[in-house]
Amino acid sequence: MSVIDPRILRDEPERLRESQRRRGGNPDSVDRLAMLDKLRREQQQKYDDLRSSQKSLSKEIGPLQGRVKKGDASAQVELDALMAQATTLSDDVKAAEAVVNTTAEALAAAWLEIDNLVDLDAPVGGEDDFVVLEHTGTPRDFAAEGFEPRDHLELGEMLAAIDTERGAKVSGSRFFFLTGDGALLELALLNLAMQQAVGNGFTPMIPPVLVAPSAMEGTGFLGQAAENVYRLPEDDLYLVGTSEVPLAAYHSDEILDASTLPRRYVGWSSCFRREAGSHGRDTRGIIRVHQFDKVEMFVYTTPEDAVAEHARILQWERDFLDALEIPYRVIDVATGDLGSSAARKFDIEAWIPTQGCYREVTSTSNTTEFQARRLATRMRSADGATRPVATLNGTLVAMPRVIVSILENHQQADGSVRIPAALQPFLGGRSHLLPR
RNA sequence: GGAGGGAUGGCCGAGCGGCCGAAGGCGACGGUCUUGAAAACCGUUGAGGCGGUAUCCCCGUCUCCGUGGGUUCAAAUCCCACUCCCUCCGCCA
């Protein structure tokens, strides 16, 4: 099982090394991989040859035994000789098999440590080396409007929409309740998002959020991101951090007819994140929480169409934020911050007035063939050939952060919050959320 | 949780330990016939690794009959464990 096309490893290993370098990783792992790949092929060849002679030898034994049964003495001598030979050969085959298996396992493990090939158009560098592609909308000038904006938690409490105190009491820090209008707001966002996605040809999905290790590993979340994944050791299951996981595994071990591509799914699920290593960051409010709901787009398409589809997904994400009238910017994430599975990633960051900065609200990744290869999801083209598909994912709504954006950007001096027109039909036609 | 049954190719479904990558049927594809279609008939029809003057075609070889072990010269076929599915009983959102 290779994670990228093994021909790239054999014919153009420098491409792989360069990709690892751009990610800030170690290019030496490529050389070790190439060594194991070559070794495995040699050992496999030896095994195949031995096995082949064993099979042909075995085929002679049956008829000989028949002759022996009929009392053919010369056959008995022949048989004894063959048996002796076959026994030795059998041992050799077993030994050769063990050798190949060991190498094959090491090879598979080595492949799992290789990240996806980066898109050469992605900006090179670390977390801060992203490129801003565009700004949309204008942040409000609260000073000009004559009042100090309240942050989302203060607003949420005034509206009786967010309760973090009781969230902490019941479950611990970084947990919260959405109450009253807060809960209704989430449902309205869900319905607006689903309406848009279905209109764009997506099939709605409500997936399992507990998944088997193979699904987690196949999507690449057990690599560097493993520390942020909740695991249930008693049952050997993982709690997903995004419905990308079950949606990507949905067609694992399948061959999809090319004529059915692209297949577009939109999943609604709870998402669970341990937030290990983020102690002290975003401790106030619901920007960074352990459990939240998200509507996620997931697409299976041809490798040739992946880049164009990525642009479409980004546009759909923008359409949604446009409908909510939230100012945002689009960034092209740098190679060092892509995660192991993305070849390229665009984030949309919404303006958060009380923080005076843009914060990530959506993210769309082109994972090319990376996940499809790990999950064995292939396509059959019109000419009958089978090859891996490309997969892409993108956020439509991450509930807490969008709720934060709406509350802070559309707040009024009296603590009420204007409901954007697109959302009003899903909130009983109301124009504002009012303090209680 | 208790009792029983099952897992084979796109689907259904056979398979005395060697001649089985696997009968047969369905479906799909190609062809014959037809003005065209249907019917009938003929043929083709799983995935993957490696090698072969080889990205296509073709040839050779190996692997795969839920998963992992074992027995054997030889395993879809025998043994063990596990997983999943189905039926019945109990419990329950």
mmCIF file of all heavy atoms in Angstrom, chain A residues 90-132:
data_model
loop_
_atom_site.group_PDB
_atom_site.id
_atom_site.type_symbol
_atom_site.label_atom_id
_atom_site.label_comp_id
_atom_site.label_asym_id
_atom_site.label_seq_id
_atom_site.Cartn_x
_atom_site.Cartn_y
_atom_site.Cartn_z
ATOM 1 N N SER A 90 9.308 -26.689 0.718
ATOM 2 C CA SER A 90 8.261 -26.105 1.548
ATOM 3 C C SER A 90 8.867 -25.220 2.629
ATOM 4 O O SER A 90 8.370 -24.123 2.901
ATOM 5 C CB SER A 90 7.434 -27.223 2.188
ATOM 6 O OG SER A 90 6.495 -26.677 3.072
ATOM 7 N N ASP A 91 9.962 -25.706 3.229
ATOM 8 C CA ASP A 91 10.635 -24.906 4.255
ATOM 9 C C ASP A 91 11.200 -23.625 3.657
ATOM 10 O O ASP A 91 11.096 -22.546 4.247
ATOM 11 C CB ASP A 91 11.755 -25.718 4.899
ATOM 12 C CG ASP A 91 11.198 -26.855 5.747
ATOM 13 O OD1 ASP A 91 10.003 -26.771 6.110
ATOM 14 O OD2 ASP A 91 11.935 -27.819 6.031
ATOM 15 N N ASP A 92 11.785 -23.777 2.462
ATOM 16 C CA ASP A 92 12.372 -22.603 1.809
ATOM 17 C C ASP A 92 11.302 -21.554 1.517
ATOM 18 O O ASP A 92 11.518 -20.350 1.701
ATOM 19 C CB ASP A 92 13.047 -23.022 0.493
ATOM 20 C CG ASP A 92 14.265 -23.892 0.750
ATOM 21 O OD1 ASP A 92 14.702 -23.949 1.922
ATOM 22 O OD2 ASP A 92 14.768 -24.513 -0.204
ATOM 23 N N VAL A 93 10.156 -22.035 1.036
ATOM 24 C CA VAL A 93 9.064 -21.109 0.712
ATOM 25 C C VAL A 93 8.626 -20.358 1.966
ATOM 26 O O VAL A 93 8.447 -19.139 1.945
ATOM 27 C CB VAL A 93 7.866 -21.862 0.101
ATOM 28 C CG1 VAL A 93 6.633 -20.971 0.072
ATOM 29 C CG2 VAL A 93 8.197 -22.327 -1.297
ATOM 30 N N LYS A 94 8.488 -21.097 3.049
ATOM 31 C CA LYS A 94 8.045 -20.455 4.294
ATOM 32 C C LYS A 94 9.042 -19.409 4.768
ATOM 33 O O LYS A 94 8.666 -18.328 5.217
ATOM 34 C CB LYS A 94 7.830 -21.500 5.379
ATOM 35 C CG LYS A 94 6.450 -22.149 5.261
ATOM 36 C CD LYS A 94 6.207 -23.204 6.317
ATOM 37 C CE LYS A 94 4.860 -23.876 6.055
ATOM 38 N NZ LYS A 94 4.898 -25.319 6.323
ATOM 39 N N ALA A 95 10.318 -19.754 4.643
ATOM 40 C CA ALA A 95 11.355 -18.814 5.069
ATOM 41 C C ALA A 95 11.314 -17.558 4.191
ATOM 42 O O ALA A 95 11.357 -16.427 4.698
ATOM 43 C CB ALA A 95 12.719 -19.482 4.978
ATOM 44 N N ALA A 96 11.203 -17.777 2.884
ATOM 45 C CA ALA A 96 11.187 -16.645 1.960
ATOM 46 C C ALA A 96 9.976 -15.757 2.217
ATOM 47 O O ALA A 96 10.055 -14.535 2.169
ATOM 48 C CB ALA A 96 11.175 -17.154 0.518
ATOM 49 N N GLU A 97 8.870 -16.410 2.522
ATOM 50 C CA GLU A 97 7.644 -15.654 2.777
ATOM 51 C C GLU A 97 7.803 -14.765 4.013
ATOM 52 O O GLU A 97 7.398 -13.599 4.006
ATOM 53 C CB GLU A 97 6.480 -16.625 2.975
ATOM 54 C CG GLU A 97 5.134 -15.933 3.082
ATOM 55 C CD GLU A 97 3.990 -16.911 3.329
ATOM 56 O OE1 GLU A 97 4.278 -18.059 3.745
ATOM 57 O OE2 GLU A 97 2.838 -16.534 3.108
ATOM 58 N N ALA A 98 8.416 -15.340 5.044
ATOM 59 C CA ALA A 98 8.615 -14.577 6.275
ATOM 60 C C ALA A 98 9.475 -13.350 6.011
ATOM 61 O O ALA A 98 9.210 -12.256 6.519
ATOM 62 C CB ALA A 98 9.250 -15.457 7.345
ATOM 63 N N VAL A 99 10.500 -13.538 5.175
ATOM 64 C CA VAL A 99 11.394 -12.429 4.856
ATOM 65 C C VAL A 99 10.637 -11.313 4.125
ATOM 66 O O VAL A 99 10.749 -10.129 4.460
ATOM 67 C CB VAL A 99 12.577 -12.933 3.986
ATOM 68 C CG1 VAL A 99 13.351 -11.755 3.422
ATOM 69 C CG2 VAL A 99 13.483 -13.820 4.820
ATOM 70 N N VAL A 100 9.841 -11.707 3.134
ATOM 71 C CA VAL A 100 9.077 -10.695 2.388
ATOM 72 C C VAL A 100 8.104 -9.971 3.293
ATOM 73 O O VAL A 100 7.982 -8.753 3.242
ATOM 74 C CB VAL A 100 8.245 -11.327 1.243
ATOM 75 C CG1 VAL A 100 7.601 -10.234 0.411
ATOM 76 C CG2 VAL A 100 9.102 -12.199 0.382
ATOM 77 N N ASN A 101 7.419 -10.743 4.123
ATOM 78 C CA ASN A 101 6.422 -10.132 4.998
ATOM 79 C C ASN A 101 7.027 -9.074 5.904
ATOM 80 O O ASN A 101 6.442 -8.014 6.105
ATOM 81 C CB ASN A 101 5.725 -11.203 5.839
ATOM 82 C CG ASN A 101 4.725 -12.006 5.014
ATOM 83 O OD1 ASN A 101 4.378 -11.610 3.896
ATOM 84 N ND2 ASN A 101 4.287 -13.128 5.540
ATOM 85 N N THR A 102 8.183 -9.391 6.450
ATOM 86 C CA THR A 102 8.840 -8.435 7.334
ATOM 87 C C THR A 102 9.130 -7.135 6.587
ATOM 88 O O THR A 102 8.848 -6.039 7.071
ATOM 89 C CB THR A 102 10.162 -9.026 7.867
ATOM 90 O OG1 THR A 102 9.871 -10.285 8.460
ATOM 91 C CG2 THR A 102 10.773 -8.102 8.892
ATOM 92 N N THR A 103 9.694 -7.273 5.403
ATOM 93 C CA THR A 103 10.024 -6.086 4.614
ATOM 94 C C THR A 103 8.760 -5.332 4.199
ATOM 95 O O THR A 103 8.703 -4.105 4.256
ATOM 96 C CB THR A 103 10.813 -6.477 3.357
ATOM 97 O OG1 THR A 103 11.943 -7.246 3.761
ATOM 98 C CG2 THR A 103 11.278 -5.248 2.603
ATOM 99 N N ALA A 104 7.745 -6.093 3.797
ATOM 100 C CA ALA A 104 6.507 -5.456 3.343
ATOM 101 C C ALA A 104 5.875 -4.644 4.466
ATOM 102 O O ALA A 104 5.350 -3.552 4.234
ATOM 103 C CB ALA A 104 5.527 -6.505 2.831
ATOM 104 N N GLU A 105 5.944 -5.174 5.680
ATOM 105 C CA GLU A 105 5.395 -4.439 6.812
ATOM 106 C C GLU A 105 6.164 -3.158 7.067
ATOM 107 O O GLU A 105 5.571 -2.095 7.284
ATOM 108 C CB GLU A 105 5.433 -5.311 8.076
ATOM 109 C CG GLU A 105 4.202 -6.179 8.239
ATOM 110 C CD GLU A 105 4.353 -7.144 9.413
ATOM 111 O OE1 GLU A 105 4.887 -6.733 10.466
ATOM 112 O OE2 GLU A 105 3.950 -8.318 9.260
ATOM 113 N N ALA A 106 7.491 -3.274 7.017
ATOM 114 C CA ALA A 106 8.321 -2.091 7.230
ATOM 115 C C ALA A 106 8.046 -1.063 6.138
ATOM 116 O O ALA A 106 7.981 0.150 6.395
ATOM 117 C CB ALA A 106 9.797 -2.485 7.219
ATOM 118 N N LEU A 107 7.859 -1.543 4.923
ATOM 119 C CA LEU A 107 7.589 -0.650 3.800
ATOM 120 C C LEU A 107 6.261 0.082 3.986
ATOM 121 O O LEU A 107 6.175 1.294 3.808
ATOM 122 C CB LEU A 107 7.567 -1.454 2.493
ATOM 123 C CG LEU A 107 7.303 -0.666 1.214
ATOM 124 C CD1 LEU A 107 8.408 0.353 0.978
ATOM 125 C CD2 LEU A 107 7.204 -1.606 0.018
ATOM 126 N N ALA A 108 5.232 -0.685 4.378
ATOM 127 C CA ALA A 108 3.912 -0.072 4.577
ATOM 128 C C ALA A 108 3.981 0.982 5.674
ATOM 129 O O ALA A 108 3.403 2.065 5.550
ATOM 130 C CB ALA A 108 2.891 -1.147 4.938
ATOM 131 N N ALA A 109 4.718 0.662 6.738
ATOM 132 C CA ALA A 109 4.855 1.617 7.839
ATOM 133 C C ALA A 109 5.588 2.866 7.367
ATOM 134 O O ALA A 109 5.238 3.993 7.730
ATOM 135 C CB ALA A 109 5.600 0.970 9.000
ATOM 136 N N ALA A 110 6.595 2.674 6.528
ATOM 137 C CA ALA A 110 7.368 3.809 6.022
ATOM 138 C C ALA A 110 6.498 4.700 5.133
ATOM 139 O O ALA A 110 6.574 5.921 5.177
ATOM 140 C CB ALA A 110 8.583 3.317 5.243
ATOM 141 N N TRP A 111 5.651 4.063 4.331
ATOM 142 C CA TRP A 111 4.749 4.830 3.473
ATOM 143 C C TRP A 111 3.822 5.700 4.293
ATOM 144 O O TRP A 111 3.519 6.840 3.946
ATOM 145 C CB TRP A 111 3.900 3.895 2.600
ATOM 146 C CG TRP A 111 4.486 3.583 1.257
ATOM 147 C CD1 TRP A 111 4.810 2.348 0.772
ATOM 148 C CD2 TRP A 111 4.798 4.512 0.206
ATOM 149 N NE1 TRP A 111 5.311 2.448 -0.510
ATOM 150 C CE2 TRP A 111 5.306 3.757 -0.878
ATOM 151 C CE3 TRP A 111 4.697 5.893 0.071
ATOM 152 C CZ2 TRP A 111 5.717 4.362 -2.078
ATOM 153 C CZ3 TRP A 111 5.112 6.486 -1.121
ATOM 154 C CH2 TRP A 111 5.616 5.720 -2.175
ATOM 155 N N LEU A 112 3.347 5.150 5.412
ATOM 156 C CA LEU A 112 2.396 5.893 6.235
ATOM 157 C C LEU A 112 3.021 7.154 6.827
ATOM 158 O O LEU A 112 2.318 8.061 7.247
ATOM 159 C CB LEU A 112 1.845 5.005 7.347
ATOM 160 C CG LEU A 112 0.791 3.982 6.905
ATOM 161 C CD1 LEU A 112 0.315 3.156 8.078
ATOM 162 C CD2 LEU A 112 -0.392 4.677 6.234
ATOM 163 N N GLU A 113 4.338 7.191 6.853
ATOM 164 C CA GLU A 113 4.982 8.372 7.426
ATOM 165 C C GLU A 113 5.250 9.448 6.389
ATOM 166 O O GLU A 113 5.704 10.542 6.723
ATOM 167 C CB GLU A 113 6.291 7.951 8.097
ATOM 168 C CG GLU A 113 6.006 6.915 9.154
ATOM 169 C CD GLU A 113 7.038 6.854 10.239
ATOM 170 O OE1 GLU A 113 8.091 7.501 10.105
ATOM 171 O OE2 GLU A 113 6.775 6.133 11.221
ATOM 172 N N ILE A 114 4.980 9.126 5.131
ATOM 173 C CA ILE A 114 5.191 10.106 4.071
ATOM 174 C C ILE A 114 3.944 10.980 3.939
ATOM 175 O O ILE A 114 2.826 10.488 3.919
ATOM 176 C CB ILE A 114 5.465 9.391 2.730
ATOM 177 C CG1 ILE A 114 6.733 8.548 2.830
ATOM 178 C CG2 ILE A 114 5.569 10.402 1.599
ATOM 179 C CD1 ILE A 114 8.008 9.342 2.918
ATOM 180 N N ASP A 115 4.166 12.283 3.864
ATOM 181 C CA ASP A 115 3.040 13.192 3.685
ATOM 182 C C ASP A 115 2.671 13.280 2.210
ATOM 183 O O ASP A 115 3.438 12.868 1.342
ATOM 184 C CB ASP A 115 3.419 14.591 4.192
ATOM 185 C CG ASP A 115 3.754 14.589 5.668
ATOM 186 O OD1 ASP A 115 3.074 13.858 6.418
ATOM 187 O OD2 ASP A 115 4.689 15.305 6.071
ATOM 188 N N ASN A 116 1.519 13.824 1.937
ATOM 189 C CA ASN A 116 1.088 13.984 0.555
ATOM 190 C C ASN A 116 2.035 14.925 -0.190
ATOM 191 O O ASN A 116 2.634 15.822 0.404
ATOM 192 C CB ASN A 116 -0.331 14.556 0.519
ATOM 193 C CG ASN A 116 -0.994 14.370 -0.828
ATOM 194 O OD1 ASN A 116 -0.417 13.763 -1.740
ATOM 195 N ND2 ASN A 116 -2.197 14.894 -0.970
ATOM 196 N N LEU A 117 2.161 14.709 -1.489
ATOM 197 C CA LEU A 117 2.949 15.616 -2.328
ATOM 198 C C LEU A 117 2.296 16.991 -2.312
ATOM 199 O O LEU A 117 1.107 17.112 -2.595
ATOM 200 C CB LEU A 117 2.950 15.106 -3.769
ATOM 201 C CG LEU A 117 3.961 14.041 -4.181
ATOM 202 C CD1 LEU A 117 3.729 13.683 -5.636
ATOM 203 C CD2 LEU A 117 5.378 14.537 -3.977
ATOM 204 N N VAL A 118 3.072 18.011 -2.005
ATOM 205 C CA VAL A 118 2.470 19.349 -1.971
ATOM 206 C C VAL A 118 2.230 19.855 -3.391
ATOM 207 O O VAL A 118 2.935 19.487 -4.331
ATOM 208 C CB VAL A 118 3.368 20.381 -1.246
ATOM 209 C CG1 VAL A 118 3.532 20.015 0.211
ATOM 210 C CG2 VAL A 118 4.713 20.502 -1.929
ATOM 211 N N ASP A 119 1.224 20.679 -3.503
ATOM 212 C CA ASP A 119 0.970 21.377 -4.756
ATOM 213 C C ASP A 119 2.058 22.435 -4.886
ATOM 214 O O ASP A 119 2.288 23.218 -3.957
ATOM 215 C CB ASP A 119 -0.411 22.038 -4.678
ATOM 216 C CG ASP A 119 -0.841 22.630 -6.013
ATOM 217 O OD1 ASP A 119 0.031 23.188 -6.722
ATOM 218 O OD2 ASP A 119 -2.034 22.542 -6.340
ATOM 219 N N LEU A 120 2.716 22.475 -6.045
ATOM 220 C CA LEU A 120 3.840 23.406 -6.197
ATOM 221 C C LEU A 120 3.392 24.868 -6.196
ATOM 222 O O LEU A 120 4.205 25.772 -6.054
ATOM 223 C CB LEU A 120 4.619 23.094 -7.487
ATOM 224 C CG LEU A 120 5.307 21.723 -7.451
ATOM 225 C CD1 LEU A 120 6.020 21.435 -8.762
ATOM 226 C CD2 LEU A 120 6.295 21.641 -6.287
ATOM 227 N N ASP A 121 2.086 25.087 -6.318
ATOM 228 C CA ASP A 121 1.582 26.464 -6.281
ATOM 229 C C ASP A 121 1.357 26.954 -4.849
ATOM 230 O O ASP A 121 1.122 28.141 -4.634
ATOM 231 C CB ASP A 121 0.246 26.566 -7.047
ATOM 232 C CG ASP A 121 0.464 26.413 -8.546
ATOM 233 O OD1 ASP A 121 1.590 26.711 -9.004
ATOM 234 O OD2 ASP A 121 -0.471 25.979 -9.237
ATOM 235 N N ALA A 122 1.396 26.028 -3.890
ATOM 236 C CA ALA A 122 1.174 26.439 -2.503
ATOM 237 C C ALA A 122 2.376 27.231 -2.016
ATOM 238 O O ALA A 122 3.519 26.893 -2.311
ATOM 239 C CB ALA A 122 0.960 25.205 -1.625
ATOM 240 N N PRO A 123 2.131 28.322 -1.268
ATOM 241 C CA PRO A 123 3.246 29.118 -0.760
ATOM 242 C C PRO A 123 4.122 28.289 0.172
ATOM 243 O O PRO A 123 3.616 27.517 0.981
ATOM 244 C CB PRO A 123 2.562 30.266 -0.010
ATOM 245 C CG PRO A 123 1.154 29.828 0.210
ATOM 246 C CD PRO A 123 0.822 28.878 -0.892
ATOM 247 N N VAL A 124 5.436 28.463 0.027
ATOM 248 C CA VAL A 124 6.374 27.689 0.828
ATOM 249 C C VAL A 124 6.633 28.401 2.143
ATOM 250 O O VAL A 124 6.767 29.617 2.175
ATOM 251 C CB VAL A 124 7.702 27.506 0.064
ATOM 252 C CG1 VAL A 124 8.696 26.729 0.914
ATOM 253 C CG2 VAL A 124 7.448 26.783 -1.252
ATOM 254 N N GLY A 125 6.678 27.638 3.239
ATOM 255 C CA GLY A 125 7.002 28.242 4.516
ATOM 256 C C GLY A 125 6.189 27.663 5.653
ATOM 257 O O GLY A 125 5.529 26.640 5.494
ATOM 258 N N GLY A 126 6.240 28.341 6.780
ATOM 259 C CA GLY A 126 5.563 27.856 7.974
ATOM 260 C C GLY A 126 4.204 28.497 8.174
ATOM 261 O O GLY A 126 3.671 29.156 7.274
ATOM 262 N N GLU A 127 3.682 28.319 9.372
ATOM 263 C CA GLU A 127 2.337 28.765 9.697
ATOM 264 C C GLU A 127 2.061 30.225 9.309
ATOM 265 O O GLU A 127 0.966 30.559 8.867
ATOM 266 C CB GLU A 127 2.124 28.588 11.218
ATOM 267 C CG GLU A 127 0.690 28.721 11.654
ATOM 268 C CD GLU A 127 0.528 28.452 13.155
ATOM 269 O OE1 GLU A 127 1.482 27.918 13.772
ATOM 270 O OE2 GLU A 127 -0.544 28.770 13.689
ATOM 271 N N ASP A 128 3.075 31.086 9.452
ATOM 272 C CA ASP A 128 2.844 32.516 9.218
ATOM 273 C C ASP A 128 3.133 32.945 7.778
ATOM 274 O O ASP A 128 3.051 34.120 7.442
ATOM 275 C CB ASP A 128 3.716 33.345 10.171
ATOM 276 C CG ASP A 128 3.386 33.033 11.620
ATOM 277 O OD1 ASP A 128 2.193 32.822 11.920
ATOM 278 O OD2 ASP A 128 4.329 32.961 12.441
ATOM 279 N N ASP A 129 3.486 31.992 6.951
ATOM 280 C CA ASP A 129 3.860 32.342 5.581
ATOM 281 C C ASP A 129 2.726 32.184 4.582
ATOM 282 O O ASP A 129 2.962 32.043 3.385
ATOM 283 C CB ASP A 129 5.068 31.497 5.144
ATOM 284 C CG ASP A 129 6.292 31.830 5.974
ATOM 285 O OD1 ASP A 129 6.574 33.028 6.145
ATOM 286 O OD2 ASP A 129 6.961 30.889 6.472
ATOM 287 N N PHE A 130 1.501 32.205 5.088
ATOM 288 C CA PHE A 130 0.346 32.119 4.198
ATOM 289 C C PHE A 130 0.277 33.355 3.304
ATOM 290 O O PHE A 130 0.875 34.395 3.604
ATOM 291 C CB PHE A 130 -0.945 32.000 5.011
ATOM 292 C CG PHE A 130 -1.192 33.145 5.945
ATOM 293 C CD1 PHE A 130 -1.771 34.323 5.487
ATOM 294 C CD2 PHE A 130 -0.838 33.039 7.296
ATOM 295 C CE1 PHE A 130 -1.998 35.379 6.360
ATOM 296 C CE2 PHE A 130 -1.057 34.096 8.161
ATOM 297 C CZ PHE A 130 -1.634 35.281 7.695
ATOM 298 N N VAL A 131 -0.467 33.230 2.205
ATOM 299 C CA VAL A 131 -0.666 34.363 1.308
ATOM 300 C C VAL A 131 -2.136 34.748 1.347
ATOM 301 O O VAL A 131 -3.005 33.893 1.221
ATOM 302 C CB VAL A 131 -0.275 33.960 -0.138
ATOM 303 C CG1 VAL A 131 -0.702 35.040 -1.122
ATOM 304 C CG2 VAL A 131 1.229 33.710 -0.220
ATOM 305 N N VAL A 132 -2.392 36.018 1.573
ATOM 306 C CA VAL A 132 -3.783 36.485 1.576
ATOM 307 C C VAL A 132 -4.228 36.673 0.134
ATOM 308 O O VAL A 132 -3.614 37.423 -0.623
ATOM 309 C CB VAL A 132 -3.926 37.808 2.346
ATOM 310 C CG1 VAL A 132 -5.375 38.294 2.274
ATOM 311 C CG2 VAL A 132 -3.492 37.625 3.796
#
